[in-house]
Amino acid sequence: GDSSEVQDQLKGVQLLQAASCAFAAILADESVVTWGVPAYGGDSSEVQDQLKGVQLLQAASCAFAAILADESVVTWGVPAYGGDSS
């Protein structure tokens, strides 16, 4: 739960979701910042370029799903827990 590495990015937080070992926040510009255990959703770098226009976040135990403005869904985290929707 140490957010010190992303603290400077956590401005204008609109929504916060917690998985068992990670957090994700939607910012005012509809982007997402994540932190926590990387494999459990704390690292969203593989999908970060897709996380634009995020309207809603949902956390599972080890994964996150984001609904975008175009009604598409982006997921990340542990694949067996829904982190890979490809």
Side-chain angles (χ1 to χ4, degrees), residues 3-4 22 34 41 43-44 48 52 63 68 70 85:
S3 63
S4 59
T34 58
D43 179 3
S44 58
Q48 195 62 47
K52 311 291 185 217
L68 308 185
D70 66 3
S85 60

Side-chain angles (χ1 to χ4, degrees), residues 1 3 12 25 28 35 37-38 40-41 45-46 50 55 62-64 69 76 79:
S3 63
W35 68 97
V37 178
Y40 292 153
S45 59
E46 288 188 17
Q50 301 172 58
Q55 304 298 300
C62 302
F64 292 93
W76 68 97

Side-chain angles (χ1 to χ4, degrees), residues 7-84:
Q7 195 63 48
D8 61 324
Q9 300 172 57
L10 293 174
K11 309 290 187 224
V13 174
Q14 305 296 301
L15 179 76
L16 184 65
Q17 283 282 340
S20 60
C21 300
F23 294 89
I26 300 177
L27 305 183
D29 66 359
E30 299 180 343
S31 64
V32 171
V33 175
T34 58
W35 68 97
V37 178
Y40 292 153
D43 179 3
S44 58
S45 59
E46 288 188 17
V47 296
Q48 195 62 47
D49 61 328
Q50 301 172 58
L51 293 174
K52 311 291 185 217
V54 176
Q55 304 298 300
L56 185 64
L57 280 174
Q58 182 64 51
S61 60
C62 302
F64 292 93
I67 300 175
L68 308 185
D70 66 3
E71 299 180 353
S72 63
V73 174
V74 177
T75 60
W76 68 97
V78 177
Y81 287 84
D84 182 0

